Amino acid sequence: MATNRFHDDASDVDGLYADLAAADLQPLWLQPGLLTRTPGRLAPHIWRWKTLRDLAERSGDLVGIDRGGDRRVLSLAHPDLGGLPFATHTLWGAVQFLGAGELAPAHRHTPGALRFVLEGSGVWTLVNGDPIHMARGDLVLTPSWTWHEHHNPGTDPMIWFDGLDLPLVRNLDAVFFEPGGEELSSYQPDLASQSEHGYASAGLLPSTDEPVGVGDPAPGRASRLLAYRWPAVDAALSRLIASTGHREASVRYTDPATGRDIMPTLRAEMHRVLAGHRTQPTRTVGSALWVAYRGSGATVIDGRRFRWTAGDMFVTPSWAAVDHQATDDADLFLLSDGPALEALGLARRQETQKQEVREDGLCGW
Amino acid sequence: MATNRFHDDASDVDGLYADLAAADLQPLWLQPGLLTRTPGRLAPHIWRWKTLRDLAERSGDLVGIDRGGDRRVLSLAHPDLGGLPFATHTLWGAVQFLGAGELAPAHRHTPGALRFVLEGSGVWTLVNGDPIHMARGDLVLTPSWTWHEHHNPGTDPMIWFDGLDLPLVRNLDAVFFEPGGEELSSYQPDLASQSEHGYASAGLLPSTDEPVGVGDPAPGRASRLLAYRWPAVDAALSRLIASTGHREASVRYTDPATGRDIMPTLRAEMHRVLAGHRTQPTRTVGSALWVAYRGSGATVIDGRRFRWTAGDMFVTPSWAAVDHQATDDADLFLLSDGPALEALGLARRQETQKQEVREDGLCGW
Amino acid sequence: MATNRFHDDASDVDGLYADLAAADLQPLWLQPGLLTRTPGRLAPHIWRWKTLRDLAERSGDLVGIDRGGDRRVLSLAHPDLGGLPFATHTLWGAVQFLGAGELAPAHRHTPGALRFVLEGSGVWTLVNGDPIHMARGDLVLTPSWTWHEHHNPGTDPMIWFDGLDLPLVRNLDAVFFEPGGEELSSYQPDLASQSEHGYASAGLLPSTDEPVGVGDPAPGRASRLLAYRWPAVDAALSRLIASTGHREASVRYTDPATGRDIMPTLRAEMHRVLAGHRTQPTRTVGSALWVAYRGSGATVIDGRRFRWTAGDMFVTPSWAAVDHQATDDADLFLLSDGPALEALGLARRQETQKQEVREDGLCGW
Amino acid sequence: MATNRFHDDASDVDGLYADLAAADLQPLWLQPGLLTRTPGRLAPHIWRWKTLRDLAERSGDLVGIDRGGDRRVLSLAHPDLGGLPFATHTLWGAVQFLGAGELAPAHRHTPGALRFVLEGSGVWTLVNGDPIHMARGDLVLTPSWTWHEHHNPGTDPMIWFDGLDLPLVRNLDAVFFEPGGEELSSYQPDLASQSEHGYASAGLLPSTDEPVGVGDPAPGRASRLLAYRWPAVDAALSRLIASTGHREASVRYTDPATGRDIMPTLRAEMHRVLAGHRTQPTRTVGSALWVAYRGSGATVIDGRRFRWTAGDMFVTPSWAAVDHQATDDADLFLLSDGPALEALGLARRQETQKQEVREDGLCGW
């Protein structure tokens, strides 16, 4: 049995507590919530495309791109995070709106970013000078500490989803930022970037030691392939479904030179669920942000059902039971902090029973 | 030049901002402090051994060990962290007091912990059932998800420094906790633990695939050697100084089966600085907590000088310039989040110029 | 100075040498050639396509496929290897001829093999049951210990180049062989194999832990992608040349799940040299076998020039200076033991001066 | 069924075979022994200490050390290897004799070597200038491409076992050799080498990036610890036996900075078997050379029993079933090519049934 030797002299104890506070010390025994049985610091949350799109467009009308870090970004602010502009403890999610003719000058930062295009085409993102064309469904990477700028030479706006590891990097107190010059770069438009010329052939790598295309942004630390095209992702999912005969499939975006995740902190995947199919509920340590790219359906998170259609974005918290059900054939883009959890020895995953739906999340919908 | 297209119609903009807030969105351009030029979210801070020891002893008198997670722990609460009981964004530091005859029953949790003994001897910590003797200067590990309990069968109290990755693990929402049974384990006292029988011979590993001693707590994730004895550390530092002829030396506590840090999240080192020597100032991304184990001296942190003697504990924040100067021959125990920063591709290190001392930190001292 | 204490009493020494021999011992001092200043145990050697093709066809007419391990294989036998059927100390090279309608039943062995198709199309190789279509220019893998059988249901013969690590594996005394049953497998012809359904999308991997398609032949040990199509290789080389502006380019065939070589023992690459260009001479530790796939030119090996046209095969020995010159645009397939040398810490590479041509190799040509 | 289309026109076939031979080609179907069901190219073999010691001493009397690569080495020449001075296809084993006052000047080579001392003490081996004291039972490494020289300033000869990967490196055609100058190095005798000052503390590594002591011989490729002392090995084995309660134990000599084998090609272990105990028979791919260091007993190899006493050396071939039985408490030093087999994906291991002894090997003994 544990020792029991508690003295109930309240005044002594009060004095002790006052002295502890004065000395910047806290007694663990007054912090009962620190070590929880399981994770679960956030609730699930959903943002609707209708709202996101409307507010992005209004921001485009009202706010010049020269404000706010030169980027017109609406960040998902989880209501459980006390006013911080973060989707989860580790993930930043946002909608970025770049109007016709707008240009966002170069900067770089240690948080890594990815862009998943939701609307528009014909924008160019330069990553360390390599011009990358953007169209709907493409995933474009701007890894940690790479220079990046955005050019919209066309006549239509573009809206993309921004995913970053900024909350994690900030919590590690590892944020560096450097603005570029005011002058924008000129570039030769080529529908395939230099990085794709070098790394977009499955199983074939340049047999030289020098990186091809973009100067290696962060050696060994992020994918050398900086653009993943929607038609290739679509075809890969179709082939997997045809080949396995399953009603679902998913692909992970990876560094073709290592097979590892696109960044040491971020995982990106595309999940396809065919109409009528419901996936196996699973719990995973680490948080995730999902963007419904195509189709409609619902996701059950710890017994609460969240219905979604294309463009909606939602958080699945750490260790929540999660399954997806598709009404129409659906594609869900996933952003998670999985690689960080794995690198730090904290990853766990568990398949669970089919979930009962106890309530509808955000029931007003 | 970046596009400049700001509309100054205040009422429209106010309406937009209100609608954004209602939709759990935040405009990036109103968050100027998110991307800082360099890290630096915390100030340095120091806690004095005189205070720590005094309050630990008073807690021993007044508060039974059955309170507060069955552990009598005073945690270092950095004043910049808004009341959280954390030393830095990622590191937990604390003083734990185990009185004569006291017993702390078993539990386990995903945050990994280490104990560095500051006072006393003759305590036993059981890690997954392996009894580890503790004496002043010893480092004892209780890695992630290992059962651990503490027994003080002697007549003197013990005080040790507790270091954990709890703030980091909590921020990743990866905390699991499980209490053990109420019954304490019995054990055969042996001054060398099973883990030392298997792994305490330099360059010699059991040539079987089965781990020796303690059941592998978290395969490949933490050191299989669970105790590092002060006499061995002392001798290693002396040999390095004799061998290099330098006035300083440091050793890293590592997993003898891999040469890697003791845990994927935590680095532990012992730094020896001979009397009169001052080390080269260095900036490192990631935060650290130092415990002066022996001797006295001062550490200059971004131009502020903090004097210390044995038992004092202080934080060096991310990217601060840090150098140490010894008055007497001194040994400084270091706890840092270095392995996490490295695994996530965020590590940077820079040697800087000799620092001018602009002011004394905590000058009342 | 080294000690000099040699006794010249011949009879004693003769007696010693006789006793040593009787005891299965040899004095090192009578083995002067063991430790050479540099590698160089083999001369370069070339085999002509005209001869290879003619003899393969005659073998097809005269020798049934049921002879000789059920494979009609003509192996390159380097004249410096004392009658062994090996191209180098570590590499097996051969021409295999599979006549119209012929079938080669399943077997498996620890030496890993690859097939590079030189003539014909419409053959199917089943690897652990996964049917892989073969056409000119394709590279098909049958990794270590995978079941493989060949079917030629068409009306034309196929000739391919066989590359194996058999000499290396044999020298390590690690050869295992197992014949399959007499019955041939039936299969569903699909121009893309199961392995390609899973792994032929650059930077996109199935996000499940289970391998897709073929049961994992040798986990982590060989590429999961088993077929590399010529049109993809051709396009990748064209893109690299367009992108870099160089007159040469090369790609390495790699495991898309790791970016590593196709097998732990074997490297495969395709080198393109444009007409008139001559590459930089290089020395590499380890031996290589080259197959001219397209075009014509010459390779200078330690000052000897070997001219080649499509189908010719030649050995470049360890540490020889090697450069290629193309007469027409040329593609050279490379097979080497590079990964083995690297894994064992023995790899070295050195660029050298432009070589003078001292003589023509095999000058009768 | 495999196709059967053999034409029995002998003259055509004979002509074909003649033309193949003239073209340096060999038909696989005339090479039936290439792909064996299991490994087994060598028989076991044993060399007796009595003979080895006697011949080493006679060589010391008769042959100056200036002969034969400046080393007085008697190499184990397996009778199945056609006169090559090799113990197995991959391993070199030898006895080296260094007389009182003798000096062997520096050289270096890519084959890696180790020395296990069988008799004598007080010799110094300099590895890249680091003087390493040698005494009975010590293991001293001279990794690939490190300068090494031997000094015997004492009055007694020393005999040690030499183990090298020379046959393997030679077969890979990767041998480089460089003689040093004629002048011998001077040195400060210190019973612990610089490498031990830096790396001989279990679980404690210098926390600097610069290697301590000897300039890094082959970065990441060989152990930074160059000497393993017998008393430490003896103690580690005793602790393992005490801790596990088994009648046998073994330790692997490893790089303390990585936990990996001492060299990428060579494994060294010490196996202790207590009197009366017989180990479990095991088959392993790869060959091994054992040196009985202490005690006596017998090893059964594929049913043949080989008795041994201290100093005897014997080969266990690839995939042979092997078990040891100790008459007295015995220590067996093992040298194998295990790391090479593992790196190349060819390792296999299997426990087998208790072996019947069918015959005594070298029965004259």
Side-chain angles (χ1 to χ4, degrees), chain B residues 47 67 88 113 115 132 220 247 256 288:
Chain B
W47 291 261
R67 292 288 179 99
T88 79
R115 330 290 172 178
I132 303 178
R247 305 277 300 159

Side-chain angles (χ1 to χ4, degrees), chain C residues 45-62:
Chain C
H45 198 73
I46 193 164
W47 292 260
R48 299 296 174 190
W49 176 239
K50 195 170 174 310
T51 312
L52 293 167
R53 204 201 168 290
D54 172 61
L55 289 167
E57 205 164 32
R58 282 169 62 193
S59 300
D61 290 342
L62 293 174

Side-chain angles (χ1 to χ4, degrees), chain C residues 283-295:
Chain C
R283 296 181 186 279
T284 311
V285 172
S287 60
L289 190 48
W290 298 81
V291 181
Y293 176 65
R294 192 178 66 104

